[in-house]
Amino acid sequence: MDLLEKSPGRHVDDQREVAEPRDSRVTRRTLLRRAGLGIGTVLVAGSGALGYRAYDQGVLQVGDGPAYAPWSSWREQNGLLRLVGAAILAPSPHNAQPWLFEIGSGRIDLYADRARWTGATDPFRREQYVGLGAALENLVLAAKANGYAPQVTLLPDGSGSSHVARIELARSSPQASALYAQIPNRHTNRYAYVQGKRAPTAALDAMAGLNNSATGDARLFWFAGAAQRSLIGDLLIEATEALMADPDQSASDYAWFRQNWDEIQRQRDGITIDAAGLSDLVAALAKLLPAQSQTATDNAWLAATRNTHTKTAAGYGIVAVRDADHNLQRLQGGRLLERIHLWASGNGIALHHMNQLTERADREIQLGLAHRFGDQLTELMPSGWQALSTFRIGYPTHTPHKSPRRSVAAVIVT
Ligand SMILES: Cc1cc2nc3c(=O)[nH]c(=O)nc-3n(C[C@H](O)[C@H](O)[C@H](O)COP(=O)(O)O)c2cc1C
């Protein structure tokens, strides 16, 4: 999605090699219309004032600057800080990074930063705790790789407390794992996936087998057959429409959308244009033009869900637990989700978290609405299981870009 493609020497014009998602073409037309420009105008103007704006907006500096440094410096930290460096590379809802770490003698305590919350999108904080579970999994994998035997106590001060986990760290022999090695390579991939290419059963089984005693009862269920994909795809589109029609959910989504280079470097969180799965050209134009409105952002997201995300999903996975309201089970589910994402990353499989269904189901409960999506989820899940977190997988057409991260120093409490 950047002007400078990942592979060296690849040029913007080479975009045609990969079928461009339909929504990208629509978005580009919309962008150009909004700007009152034809494409030639943009390119000619690029040598003058627009060239400066390109610099100012980081059009050319995809993944550069301090906001992205934690992806390369994570192993350079000393002692237990190195484990925190791995934890903060975990996924989190809207890249809110809702974590704080306290370093003690031979232990790390993980806390929820309750202020870093996505509000109406996550009314009961399920996603916040799933993200904290993902960070905990990275920390544990890094502890083992760096010569510690981690002993985890979840919610040591009770399930309502923001004290999420205590990790005791006795010295041990290092145990690097394939999952650990993927920590800096794992990114949420919002691009189109290769049309019609299904994941082999062995891969689906391997991912479903990533649960262990640390992930408790959490389990992965696959929805990969044609009828299931079509059913979940349609539900995701309807749930996206419902989210857009809910002013508070739409606003809380938009609040985490970062469109400005300075803002990204200052805040080092949120969803960026580079991470949105747009083609390189559309992303470059989006950065050059004035910030997109909430409505335009909603419309682009709905178009991408309809024309790209659901159209090219090779299958959907749902991490489920016995009780999705239970913070401890959410943490365990988050640990499993991160193991799945790391495994996918190491095996050439793209993964995109898509939680519109649970976000709407929680909102229905919060507002006392009819349980439209909640009932659909109950019907989908085997008896005794509740959906916690949903994602699509497939084979990548593009390498996803990094998302910003706050520094280790910014998430340490004393
Ligand atoms: C619990 C949870 C829920 C998420 N829900 C969504 C979602 O509904 N849609 C989406 O595009 N990304 C979703 N994400 C992905 C985050 O936006 C992503 O992890 C974050 O922006 C950081 O990017 P990275 O995963 O590439 O590091 C979710 C992540 C987590 C952990």
Side-chain angles (χ1 to χ4, degrees), residues 383-395:
S383 158
W385 292 96
Q386 295 183 351
L388 181 68
S389 203
T390 306
F391 58 87
R392 69 172 171 127
I393 57 155
Y395 285 88

PDB file of all heavy atoms in Angstrom, residues 383-395:
ATOM      1  N   SER A 383     -23.000 -26.237  20.824  1.00  0.00           N
ATOM      2  CA  SER A 383     -23.603 -26.041  22.138  1.00  0.00           C
ATOM      3  C   SER A 383     -22.519 -26.006  23.234  1.00  0.00           C
ATOM      4  O   SER A 383     -21.577 -26.796  23.208  1.00  0.00           O
ATOM      5  CB  SER A 383     -24.597 -27.182  22.339  1.00  0.00           C
ATOM      6  OG  SER A 383     -24.837 -27.378  23.673  1.00  0.00           O
ATOM      7  N   GLY A 384     -22.643 -25.090  24.169  1.00  0.00           N
ATOM      8  CA  GLY A 384     -21.686 -24.988  25.264  1.00  0.00           C
ATOM      9  C   GLY A 384     -20.508 -24.078  24.975  1.00  0.00           C
ATOM     10  O   GLY A 384     -19.629 -23.905  25.825  1.00  0.00           O
ATOM     11  N   TRP A 385     -20.455 -23.480  23.775  1.00  0.00           N
ATOM     12  CA  TRP A 385     -19.340 -22.592  23.417  1.00  0.00           C
ATOM     13  C   TRP A 385     -19.857 -21.219  23.042  1.00  0.00           C
ATOM     14  O   TRP A 385     -20.878 -21.098  22.362  1.00  0.00           O
ATOM     15  CB  TRP A 385     -18.551 -23.173  22.238  1.00  0.00           C
ATOM     16  CG  TRP A 385     -17.824 -24.422  22.608  1.00  0.00           C
ATOM     17  CD1 TRP A 385     -18.249 -25.709  22.419  1.00  0.00           C
ATOM     18  CD2 TRP A 385     -16.563 -24.499  23.276  1.00  0.00           C
ATOM     19  NE1 TRP A 385     -17.333 -26.587  22.909  1.00  0.00           N
ATOM     20  CE2 TRP A 385     -16.278 -25.875  23.447  1.00  0.00           C
ATOM     21  CE3 TRP A 385     -15.638 -23.561  23.731  1.00  0.00           C
ATOM     22  CZ2 TRP A 385     -15.108 -26.325  24.066  1.00  0.00           C
ATOM     23  CZ3 TRP A 385     -14.483 -23.996  24.340  1.00  0.00           C
ATOM     24  CH2 TRP A 385     -14.220 -25.376  24.501  1.00  0.00           C
ATOM     25  N   GLN A 386     -19.130 -20.189  23.462  1.00  0.00           N
ATOM     26  CA  GLN A 386     -19.493 -18.816  23.101  1.00  0.00           C
ATOM     27  C   GLN A 386     -18.378 -18.190  22.270  1.00  0.00           C
ATOM     28  O   GLN A 386     -17.196 -18.290  22.637  1.00  0.00           O
ATOM     29  CB  GLN A 386     -19.720 -17.980  24.370  1.00  0.00           C
ATOM     30  CG  GLN A 386     -20.913 -18.469  25.171  1.00  0.00           C
ATOM     31  CD  GLN A 386     -21.174 -17.594  26.395  1.00  0.00           C
ATOM     32  OE1 GLN A 386     -20.376 -16.728  26.753  1.00  0.00           O
ATOM     33  NE2 GLN A 386     -22.309 -17.835  27.035  1.00  0.00           N
ATOM     34  N   ALA A 387     -18.778 -17.539  21.187  1.00  0.00           N
ATOM     35  CA  ALA A 387     -17.781 -16.884  20.319  1.00  0.00           C
ATOM     36  C   ALA A 387     -17.070 -15.788  21.095  1.00  0.00           C
ATOM     37  O   ALA A 387     -17.709 -14.976  21.768  1.00  0.00           O
ATOM     38  CB  ALA A 387     -18.478 -16.280  19.108  1.00  0.00           C
ATOM     39  N   LEU A 388     -15.744 -15.763  20.996  1.00  0.00           N
ATOM     40  CA  LEU A 388     -14.968 -14.713  21.664  1.00  0.00           C
ATOM     41  C   LEU A 388     -14.381 -13.749  20.635  1.00  0.00           C
ATOM     42  O   LEU A 388     -14.513 -12.543  20.759  1.00  0.00           O
ATOM     43  CB  LEU A 388     -13.834 -15.346  22.488  1.00  0.00           C
ATOM     44  CG  LEU A 388     -12.956 -14.370  23.254  1.00  0.00           C
ATOM     45  CD1 LEU A 388     -13.730 -13.704  24.391  1.00  0.00           C
ATOM     46  CD2 LEU A 388     -11.713 -15.077  23.814  1.00  0.00           C
ATOM     47  N   SER A 389     -13.747 -14.292  19.598  1.00  0.00           N
ATOM     48  CA  SER A 389     -13.027 -13.442  18.651  1.00  0.00           C
ATOM     49  C   SER A 389     -12.977 -14.132  17.283  1.00  0.00           C
ATOM     50  O   SER A 389     -12.725 -15.333  17.204  1.00  0.00           O
ATOM     51  CB  SER A 389     -11.608 -13.196  19.182  1.00  0.00           C
ATOM     52  OG  SER A 389     -11.064 -12.027  18.648  1.00  0.00           O
ATOM     53  N   THR A 390     -13.192 -13.348  16.229  1.00  0.00           N
ATOM     54  CA  THR A 390     -13.346 -13.908  14.876  1.00  0.00           C
ATOM     55  C   THR A 390     -12.254 -13.359  13.951  1.00  0.00           C
ATOM     56  O   THR A 390     -11.825 -12.217  14.113  1.00  0.00           O
ATOM     57  CB  THR A 390     -14.730 -13.502  14.316  1.00  0.00           C
ATOM     58  OG1 THR A 390     -15.732 -13.898  15.247  1.00  0.00           O
ATOM     59  CG2 THR A 390     -15.020 -14.135  12.964  1.00  0.00           C
ATOM     60  N   PHE A 391     -11.842 -14.163  12.986  1.00  0.00           N
ATOM     61  CA  PHE A 391     -10.864 -13.685  11.992  1.00  0.00           C
ATOM     62  C   PHE A 391     -11.083 -14.427  10.681  1.00  0.00           C
ATOM     63  O   PHE A 391     -11.728 -15.463  10.647  1.00  0.00           O
ATOM     64  CB  PHE A 391      -9.428 -13.886  12.493  1.00  0.00           C
ATOM     65  CG  PHE A 391      -9.082 -15.324  12.814  1.00  0.00           C
ATOM     66  CD1 PHE A 391      -8.619 -16.183  11.836  1.00  0.00           C
ATOM     67  CD2 PHE A 391      -9.247 -15.822  14.110  1.00  0.00           C
ATOM     68  CE1 PHE A 391      -8.302 -17.506  12.126  1.00  0.00           C
ATOM     69  CE2 PHE A 391      -8.941 -17.148  14.409  1.00  0.00           C
ATOM     70  CZ  PHE A 391      -8.474 -17.991  13.409  1.00  0.00           C
ATOM     71  N   ARG A 392     -10.528 -13.842   9.618  1.00  0.00           N
ATOM     72  CA  ARG A 392     -10.495 -14.558   8.328  1.00  0.00           C
ATOM     73  C   ARG A 392      -9.059 -14.927   8.037  1.00  0.00           C
ATOM     74  O   ARG A 392      -8.125 -14.249   8.507  1.00  0.00           O
ATOM     75  CB  ARG A 392     -11.088 -13.724   7.186  1.00  0.00           C
ATOM     76  CG  ARG A 392     -10.230 -12.535   6.818  1.00  0.00           C
ATOM     77  CD  ARG A 392     -10.705 -11.796   5.568  1.00  0.00           C
ATOM     78  NE  ARG A 392      -9.950 -10.560   5.428  1.00  0.00           N
ATOM     79  CZ  ARG A 392      -9.292 -10.177   4.341  1.00  0.00           C
ATOM     80  NH1 ARG A 392      -9.305 -10.905   3.239  1.00  0.00           N
ATOM     81  NH2 ARG A 392      -8.627  -9.040   4.306  1.00  0.00           N
ATOM     82  N   ILE A 393      -8.890 -15.978   7.266  1.00  0.00           N
ATOM     83  CA  ILE A 393      -7.550 -16.339   6.791  1.00  0.00           C
ATOM     84  C   ILE A 393      -7.578 -16.474   5.271  1.00  0.00           C
ATOM     85  O   ILE A 393      -8.652 -16.530   4.648  1.00  0.00           O
ATOM     86  CB  ILE A 393      -7.042 -17.672   7.382  1.00  0.00           C
ATOM     87  CG1 ILE A 393      -8.017 -18.810   7.074  1.00  0.00           C
ATOM     88  CG2 ILE A 393      -6.740 -17.559   8.853  1.00  0.00           C
ATOM     89  CD1 ILE A 393      -7.365 -20.162   7.059  1.00  0.00           C
ATOM     90  N   GLY A 394      -6.384 -16.556   4.706  1.00  0.00           N
ATOM     91  CA  GLY A 394      -6.254 -16.779   3.271  1.00  0.00           C
ATOM     92  C   GLY A 394      -4.791 -16.673   2.899  1.00  0.00           C
ATOM     93  O   GLY A 394      -3.932 -16.508   3.768  1.00  0.00           O
ATOM     94  N   TYR A 395      -4.531 -16.742   1.604  1.00  0.00           N
ATOM     95  CA  TYR A 395      -3.152 -16.604   1.142  1.00  0.00           C
ATOM     96  C   TYR A 395      -2.934 -15.164   0.681  1.00  0.00           C
ATOM     97  O   TYR A 395      -3.755 -14.605  -0.037  1.00  0.00           O
ATOM     98  CB  TYR A 395      -2.847 -17.633   0.049  1.00  0.00           C
ATOM     99  CG  TYR A 395      -2.682 -19.000   0.693  1.00  0.00           C
ATOM    100  CD1 TYR A 395      -3.782 -19.830   0.893  1.00  0.00           C
ATOM    101  CD2 TYR A 395      -1.450 -19.405   1.183  1.00  0.00           C
ATOM    102  CE1 TYR A 395      -3.650 -21.056   1.542  1.00  0.00           C
ATOM    103  CE2 TYR A 395      -1.307 -20.616   1.836  1.00  0.00           C
ATOM    104  CZ  TYR A 395      -2.399 -21.432   2.009  1.00  0.00           C
ATOM    105  OH  TYR A 395      -2.256 -22.621   2.674  1.00  0.00           O
TER     106      TYR A 395
END
